[in-house]
């Protein structure tokens, strides 16, 4: 049979380190070009099952009492998670995301376009997470990341590597846990979760502080603030206003705060509370609202 010339790949050494030790490490370079003798190591199907379920249920057990729950893993929720997990490695942070894929609306810059625009000074956040950008605009007032997916995947991978963060995706928050306060108001004390919108009884996570970043109203958005209205914890929503980039981004960052005790609201969900404008396809306010939400959590814990 004709011999196929083996052209080995030249891959520089990766810095990834196996968690929990490994008996023998192979390199891709050694494998490449020798596929005839190649074979995976044996496994029994039940081992795969147990490897997944044991860890998931152990995480459910561990995070049933969390320090912080972040509802919604869009650009704002992930930015908040990054800053908080980095600043406070002592806090146990659960992220609950309804969709299978975290990232919310930040996989594209707008409509089906790839590039993501961030107005300065949000470029500081890009430098913090190590995402390259290009200066643009009069006086370089904004920067452009070549693909929104580069921003979201980089941020997501950093968030997921923190040992104090667990992402429960494909899990929706369907209610808030509340406690009465002496002054007659309520304190938010956790979330009620469910895997599917059916008549299944739900699960719960207790936490003294929640960050809600579920986006503006729509089929799924503005979840927590709409629930606050229906449980009469706040009177009514201001309702997101029309698009005004300059007004909207400052308002969302400055307005990110604890709306009722134990519940901090950030990102576009906040526009529904405050009657703030939307900004359309500029993402700087989402990153910096996440920074402010993390700062608010630290303030609450230091009170
Ligand atoms: O799946 C939702 C998305 O990933 C998730 N989510 C919503 N309801 C949930 C629930 N339980 C769990 N009940 C839930 N997860 O929340 C995430 C929201 O992400 P997003 O990207 O929609 O919101 P954001 O505020 O992070 O970013 C908004 C981005 C926008 S919208 C906009 C405009 O319309 O003008 N401009 C920008 C920059």
């Amino acid at each position: 049979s004709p011999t196929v010339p083996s052209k080995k790949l030249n891959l520089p050494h990766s810095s990834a380190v196996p968690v929990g030790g490994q008996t023998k490490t192979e390199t891709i370079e050694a494998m490449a070009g020798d596929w005839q003798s190649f074979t995976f190591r044996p496994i029994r199907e039940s081992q795969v099952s147990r490897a997944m379920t044991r860890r998931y249920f152990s995480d459910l057990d561990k995070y049933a009492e969390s320090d912080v729950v972040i509802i919604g893993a869009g650009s704002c929720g992930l930015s908040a998670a990054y800053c908080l997990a980095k600043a406070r490695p002592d806090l146990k942070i659960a992220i609950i995301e309804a969709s299978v894929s975290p990232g919310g609306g930040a996989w594209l810059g707008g409509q089906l376009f790839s590039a993501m625009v961030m107005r300065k000074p949000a470029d500081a956040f890009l430098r913090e997470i190590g995402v390259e950008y290009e200066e643009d605009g009069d006086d370089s007032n904004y920067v452009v990341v070549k693909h929104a997916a580069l921003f979201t995947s980089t941020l997501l991978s950093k968030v997921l590597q923190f040992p104090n963060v667990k992402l429960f995706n494909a899990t929706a928050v369907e209610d808030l846990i509340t406690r009465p306060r002496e002054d007659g108001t309520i304190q938010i004390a956790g979330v009620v979760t469910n895997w599917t919108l059916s008549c299944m009884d739900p699960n719960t996570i207790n936490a003294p502080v929640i960050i809600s970043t579920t986006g503006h109203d729509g089929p799924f958005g503005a979840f927590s603030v709409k629930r606050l209205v229906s449980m009469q914890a706040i009177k009514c929503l201001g309702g997101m206003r029309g698009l005004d980039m300059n007004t909207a981004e400052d308002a969302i960052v400055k307005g990110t705060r604890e709306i009722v005790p134990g519940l901090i609201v950030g990102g576009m969900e906040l526009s529904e509370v405050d009657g703030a404008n939307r900004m359309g396809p500029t993402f700087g306010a989402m990153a910096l609202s996440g920074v402010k939400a993390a700062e608010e959590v630290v303030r609450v814990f230091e009170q």
Side-chain angles (χ1 to χ4, degrees), residues 68 83-84 87-88 91 209 264 291-303:
V68 182
C83 291
L84 194 58
R88 291 290 302 263
L91 297 181
V209 189
I264 293 156
V291 175
K292 178 116 190 289
E295 199 180 290
E296 287 288 292
V297 171
V298 172
R299 182 188 58 72
V300 170
F301 275 103
E302 285 172 355
Q303 264 171 9

Side-chain angles (χ1 to χ4, degrees), residues 72 74-76 97-98 104-105 173 213 215-216 220 268 278-280 282 286:
S75 46
C76 183
E97 168 52 53
V173 170
T213 58
H216 61 67
F220 300 108
M268 284 310 285
R278 68 194 298 188
M279 70 289 298
T282 52
M286 297 304 112

Side-chain angles (χ1 to χ4, degrees), residues 70-78 96-99 101-106 109 168 171-175 213-216 220-224 240 243 249 266-270 277-286:
I70 299 177
I71 314 174
S75 46
C76 183
L78 288 174
I96 313 294
E97 168 52 53
S99 171
S101 55
F168 295 97
T171 305
V173 170
E174 66 165 41
D175 210 342
T213 58
T214 66
H216 61 67
F220 300 108
F223 171 78
S224 300
M240 182 179 73
L243 194 151
E249 291 213 279
M268 284 310 285
E269 184 168 2
L270 189 70
N277 293 96
R278 68 194 298 188
M279 70 289 298
T282 52
F283 284 83
M286 297 304 112

Side-chain angles (χ1 to χ4, degrees), residues 9-290:
L9 293 176
N10 182 19
L11 297 176
H13 280 296
S14 149
S15 58
V17 178
V19 179
Q22 198 172 328
T23 46
K24 186 179 162 220
T25 51
E26 281 105 3
T27 64
I28 293 285
E29 206 179 17
M31 253 178 259
D34 187 20
W35 299 108
Q36 288 305 318
S37 63
F38 169 86
T39 176
F40 278 107
R41 299 200 200 170
I43 199 162
R44 189 168 171 76
E45 289 76 4
S46 60
Q47 289 181 298
V48 178
S49 212
R50 284 177 173 150
M52 295 188 293
T53 56
R54 192 172 58 231
R55 284 170 178 81
Y56 197 87
F57 287 106
S58 150
D59 283 339
L60 273 183
D61 181 68
K62 181 174 166 190
Y63 284 86
E65 281 287 350
S66 293
D67 295 305
V68 182
V69 171
I70 299 177
I71 314 174
S75 46
C76 183
L78 288 174
S79 302
Y82 171 85
C83 291
L84 194 58
K86 188 172 175 187
R88 291 290 302 263
D90 57 314
L91 297 181
K92 222 192 303 177
I93 304 164
I95 308 174
I96 313 294
E97 168 52 53
S99 171
V100 172
S101 55
W107 290 108
L108 287 157
Q111 208 168 312
L112 290 175
F113 311 128
S114 315
M116 174 184 262
V117 174
M118 282 211 186
R119 291 165 60 206
K120 289 186 177 180
D123 52 322
F125 191 79
L126 296 174
R127 288 191 295 279
E128 166 65 33
I129 62 169
V131 168
E132 281 187 8
Y133 55 79
E134 211 183 312
E135 304 259 346
D136 206 345
D138 307 332
D139 303 323
S140 290
N141 275 348
Y142 62 90
V143 301
V144 184
V145 179
K146 71 175 177 182
H147 204 302
L150 175 63
F151 168 78
T152 300
S153 60
T154 304
L155 179 57
L156 186 58
S157 90
K158 297 219 179 261
V159 165
L160 291 177
Q161 287 179 60
F162 284 112
N164 54 332
V165 171
K166 170 69 189 181
L167 168 68
F168 295 97
N169 48 336
T171 305
V173 170
E174 66 165 41
D175 210 342
L176 301 169
I177 299 176
T178 65
R179 299 271 184 269
R181 284 157 48 99
E182 277 179 7
D183 62 3
T185 60
I186 54 156
Q187 166 90 31
I188 306 301
V191 295
V192 180
T193 65
N194 220 325
W195 278 328
T196 163
L197 293 175
S198 72
C199 55
M200 244 178 4
D201 273 330
N203 193 18
T204 55
I205 299 180
N206 282 111
V209 189
I210 313 295
I211 300 176
S212 192
T213 58
T214 66
H216 61 67
D217 200 5
F220 300 108
F223 171 78
S224 300
V225 297
K226 285 194 284 190
R227 187 67 182 109
L228 289 183
V229 174
S230 63
M231 65 169 73
Q232 299 179 3
I234 59 175
K235 241 189 174 141
C236 60
L237 296 181
M240 182 179 73
R241 305 293 160 85
L243 194 151
D244 178 350
M245 284 188 185
N246 287 295
T247 310
E249 291 213 279
D250 291 17
I252 294 297
V253 176
K254 286 181 181 161
T256 299
R257 66 191 183 282
E258 198 176 15
I259 298 286
V260 301
L263 186 87
I264 293 156
V265 178
M268 284 310 285
E269 184 168 2
L270 189 70
S271 71
E272 300 289 354
V273 184
D274 290 349
N277 293 96
R278 68 194 298 188
M279 70 289 298
T282 52
F283 284 83
M286 297 304 112
L288 297 189
S289 171

